[in-house]
Amino acid sequence: MERILSLQDVRFTYTPDDADGRHAVDGVSFDMQAGEWIAVVGHNGSGKSTLARLMIGLLFPQEGTVGLFGDTLTEDNLWEKRSQMGMVFQNPDNQFVGATVQDDVAFALENNGIPFEEMTLRVRDALRQVKMDTFLDHEPQHLSGGQKQRVAIAGALALRPRLLILDEATSMLDPQGREEVIRVILELREKTGLSVISITHDLEEALLADRVVVMNGGRKFAEGTPQEVFLKGESLTALGLDLPFAMRLSALLGEQGIGTEPGTMTERKLVEQLWTLRSNR
Amino acid sequence: MDIALEQVGYTYAAGTPFQKQALHDVNVRIPSGSYTAIIGHTGSGKSTLLQHLNGLLKPTSGVVRIGETQVTKDTKGKQLKPIRRKVGIVFQFPEHQLFEENVLKDVMFGPLNFGVEEEEAKVRALRWLERVGLPEGTAEKSPFDLSGGQMRRVAIAGVLAMEPDVLVLDEPTAGLDPAGRKEIMDLFYELHGQQNLTTILVTHSMEDAARYADHMIVMHDGTDVLQGPPGEVFADAERLGEWRLGVPRTVSFQRLYEEGAGLPPGPPALTEEQLAAYLAADLGKGGGAS
């Protein structure tokens, strides 16, 4: 397996001159293999956004290293590394530059000097992947939030990235919009084996990842499969995170004397257990 | 203070090629003291409706009654000022509207603007900053040195410091983390009870509507299609689906359970606690039947 990303004991503070200053990221290490989906979760102020900025070289660590595609990220190789990454940010309205959907997706390709013929193909292809290919000439401001974020993802995909970073890309969307975006990402991963890092506070979204990194106070609080991480239950709630619905409901049922299997995380599994309980009563 | 919209229509850019009818035949009543949730898909007209609640928009047809005041297309701007003092709106991402050099001035701005004396405005500002859960000393800071969650609270304190009778909340927790969302929603719910407020929540979250509201208005294609308590509104998932709306997660889980268990649909469970109690009763635990 190829290692896509490697963080080694990364420390970063926004106030380097203050000896007592708090480190926004304080000694974080983890690796990511090609094709993985990693969710980085944490409450506001946990250091997860700073971590994202370090991964894409918007910030450089004062200590430790960030490795991307086999090399340590430096000012010199920043642009070469960044050209292999796609990024989608939180606010769909802050990332539009084109007057139409297809212009917008083409923007970064033009900047990278991709020939026109190739560009047209890539734009169509990227929009097809996010199911927005019937909106080529639409004006971005008339799209719903979920549609806008899908176009933003297409813009990232058109660059054929090896790594897609989603920085709270679903947090401003309504439930339908969130579902649309998540469905598109799931499909993309299945079809193309794209590596994805999603920075989120939506634990239902984190459930879909291969691995979850939980941040708290600038440190890595937990890391593992969603199953391993969410078994920590209450200690995650104490960090201001919200457990998946099925787990919250299981806990409430426990208080009513109804025992379910520990670590039941999906609604489907929970309801099946309840049906069994019902037929056995 | 009762609010009622009668036969309200609103057309943007009337008489130009960009003319667009955003509202038509809207007839809604928001009872004084209620906690009313307005739901509707993107483009259903709920944001346009919201702007009629304190005279930011005047109806192009029909009447908006806000307490004793009537607003029609002919109402003069000057007459709207008292309404704006009584109806406070917390817009989406209200922190984008912070502008003063320090937090105290920002929160005092609203009350001063409505003629409250300087001293009183200051007392109010400090009281509300504390009430929304900001640490002491925040008042002297620049709003732009605060975290996003704290900025949101400052902006909310600014609306509360006007001490409105009606508080309109437009997606007040968008972009906050789960703990922050719950804190803010619980704060509004507490204030609703303590201050005798009429609270109007415009939301995409069916869970919040179910948990906090006692009255709901469903908007679709520019008009009201359903009004009633959450227990009624969320009873018919199919009809909500036609308006591109869903039911709270608790209700969809309840329906899934009922279907597999061969049960007829029961009254919708509006909170996770209600759902757990319902399931326990059906399974013969927790003091339920059988």
Side-chain angles (χ1 to χ4, degrees):
Chain A
M1 271 283 202
E2 186 200 355
R3 201 155 57 182
I4 288 258
L5 174 78
S6 171
L7 269 66
Q8 299 274 338
D9 212 12
V10 170
R11 295 185 89 207
F12 179 84
T13 172
Y14 288 98
T15 50
D17 301 331
D18 179 356
D20 304 322
R22 198 177 82 87
H23 280 78
V25 169
D26 197 359
V28 172
S29 306
F30 69 90
D31 289 337
M32 176 178 189
Q33 309 297 327
E36 263 197 301
W37 176 343
I38 294 189
V40 179
V41 302
H43 60 85
N44 292 351
S46 63
K48 63 182 192 308
S49 298
T50 307
L51 205 59
R53 290 181 195 143
L54 289 162
M55 287 175 194
I56 60 180
L58 280 176
L59 298 172
F60 283 91
Q62 281 107 3
E63 288 172 52
T65 56
V66 175
L68 271 169
F69 316 114
D71 302 308
T72 298
L73 187 64
T74 63
E75 307 259 6
D76 294 328
N77 64 17
L78 175 63
W79 291 100
E80 186 247 319
K81 296 297 171 197
R82 215 182 257 172
S83 70
Q84 303 177 55
M85 290 189 272
M87 286 166 259
V88 178
F89 297 99
Q90 183 178 33
N91 190 336
D93 293 318
N94 288 351
Q95 30 196 334
F96 271 102
V97 284
T100 65
V101 164
Q102 61 176 341
D103 283 359
D104 197 77
V105 176
F107 178 75
L109 296 176
E110 264 183 320
N111 278 352
N112 281 289
I114 308 283
F116 184 78
E117 296 279 302
E118 162 91 14
M119 194 163 77
T120 322
L121 283 176
R122 283 210 201 179
V123 167
R124 300 255 158 132
D125 190 44
L127 284 168
R128 200 172 304 126
Q129 291 189 62
V130 299
K131 300 194 170 59
M132 287 296 289
D133 47 326
T134 54
F135 289 82
L136 290 176
D137 294 313
H138 283 239
E139 292 173 30
Q141 62 267 34
H142 293 145
L143 303 177
S144 73
Q147 290 173 331
K148 284 180 189 165
Q149 284 303 62
R150 277 149 65 200
V151 173
I153 292 171
L157 289 177
L159 292 164
R160 307 262 158 95
R162 296 165 73 189
L163 172 61
L164 181 65
I165 300 182
L166 308 167
D167 189 2
E168 300 205 29
T170 60
S171 72
M172 283 175 72
L173 304 181
D174 60 25
Q176 287 101 329
R178 198 174 304 154
E179 219 182 287
E180 284 168 22
V181 168
I182 289 175
R183 211 181 308 131
V184 156
I185 297 165
L186 274 171
E187 261 188 52
L188 271 174
R189 265 201 82 231
E190 205 163 294
K191 286 193 188 142
T192 65
L194 186 69
S195 312
V196 180
I197 294 187
S198 78
I199 293 159
T200 178
H201 45 233
D202 182 355
L203 292 201
E204 305 279 347
E205 191 181 318
L207 265 182
L208 303 169
D210 299 313
R211 216 141 44 92
V212 180
V213 173
V214 182
M215 292 291 295
N216 185 47
R219 294 170 192 261
K220 191 169 78 180
F221 176 81
E223 179 183 2
T225 62
Q227 195 80 18
E228 288 161 0
V229 166
F230 293 133
L231 275 178
K232 294 182 186 295
E234 305 239 311
S235 67
L236 297 176
T237 323
L239 299 186
L241 292 170
D242 207 2
L243 293 174
F245 175 78
M247 293 188 72
R248 294 197 305 268
L249 185 57
S250 296
L252 288 169
L253 286 169
E255 289 170 19
Q256 303 264 358
I258 295 166
T260 49
E261 285 165 36
T264 303
M265 287 171 202
T266 65
E267 289 169 44
R268 192 74 218 174
K269 289 203 172 118
L270 180 58
V271 81
E272 279 166 6
Q273 288 178 38
L274 294 176
W275 287 333
T276 308
L277 281 175
R278 189 170 200 275
S279 56
N280 291 342
R281 78 187 160 161
Chain B
M1 200 164 65
D2 278 345
I3 296 180
L5 278 73
E6 290 159 17
Q7 292 296 318
V8 165
Y10 186 82
T11 304
Y12 282 104
T16 77
F18 303 104
Q19 171 166 328
K20 186 175 178 292
Q21 191 175 41
L23 294 179
H24 62 92
D25 300 318
V26 176
N27 289 287
V28 300
R29 196 173 152 262
I30 297 168
S32 184
S34 71
Y35 193 128
T36 297
I38 302 178
I39 62 170
H41 194 265
T42 308
S44 61
K46 58 187 194 307
S47 302
T48 310
L49 173 64
L50 173 143
Q51 294 177 68
H52 282 82
L53 299 177
N54 81 341
L56 279 178
L57 292 179
K58 291 182 285 185
T60 27
S61 59
V63 187
V64 178
R65 294 181 202 281
I66 302 166
E68 306 289 296
T69 318
Q70 280 194 29
V71 183
T72 65
K73 67 180 191 321
D74 303 319
T75 306
K76 298 274 174 295
K78 202 166 57 184
Q79 296 165 272
L80 297 171
K81 201 166 175 183
I83 298 175
R84 297 207 178 120
R85 203 186 62 224
K86 287 181 188 155
V87 183
I89 302 190
V90 177
F91 284 102
Q92 263 187 61
F93 300 97
E95 60 274 21
H96 294 172
Q97 299 165 40
L98 298 176
F99 67 100
E100 280 282 11
E101 60 188 278
N102 67 44
V103 166
L104 182 67
K105 283 192 183 172
D106 217 304
V107 178
M108 284 169 67
F109 178 81
L112 287 176
N113 198 27
F114 286 115
V116 174
E117 297 289 323
E118 177 104 18
E119 264 313 294
E120 164 67 11
K122 189 174 169 185
V123 170
R124 279 197 199 179
L126 291 171
R127 183 167 73 227
W128 284 106
L129 284 168
E130 193 194 334
R131 192 66 185 78
V132 299
L134 286 164
E136 240 188 282
T138 308
E140 290 79 42
K141 289 191 179 162
S142 159
F144 305 103
D145 286 341
L146 304 177
S147 73
Q150 288 174 325
M151 283 166 76
R152 176 83 48 105
R153 283 163 202 264
V154 170
I156 289 170
V159 174
L160 293 172
M162 291 189 266
E163 305 195 335
D165 298 332
V166 179
L167 187 59
V168 182
L169 309 167
D170 186 7
E171 297 280 358
T173 63
L176 297 182
D177 65 17
R181 275 204 299 263
K182 184 162 186 312
E183 276 172 34
I184 297 274
M185 289 309 292
D186 286 350
L187 169 72
F188 286 131
Y189 193 63
E190 235 182 86
L191 290 172
H192 174 74
Q194 283 171 3
Q195 313 282 320
N196 267 324
L197 287 172
T198 303
T199 304
I200 300 164
L201 172 70
V202 177
T203 185
H204 282 299
S205 166
M206 300 303 143
E207 286 75 21
D208 283 350
R211 173 169 285 271
Y212 297 105
D214 48 43
H215 182 67
M216 290 182 68
I217 295 170
V218 184
M219 295 292 294
H220 179 68
D221 267 354
T223 196
D224 57 292
V225 286
L226 184 63
Q227 298 178 60
E232 275 172 30
V233 170
F234 289 129
D236 193 347
E238 208 166 299
R239 195 167 44 163
L240 285 170
E242 284 165 22
W243 300 319
R244 298 171 69 196
L245 294 168
V247 292
R249 217 168 187 139
T250 47
V251 180
S252 56
F253 188 90
Q254 180 187 0
R255 298 297 180 237
L256 178 65
Y257 173 80
E258 288 165 342
E259 206 177 303
L263 290 165
L270 299 178
T271 64
E272 291 173 9
E273 292 77 8
Q274 278 179 23
L275 175 60
Y278 171 81
L279 294 169
D282 184 61
L283 291 166
K285 303 266 174 75
S290 76

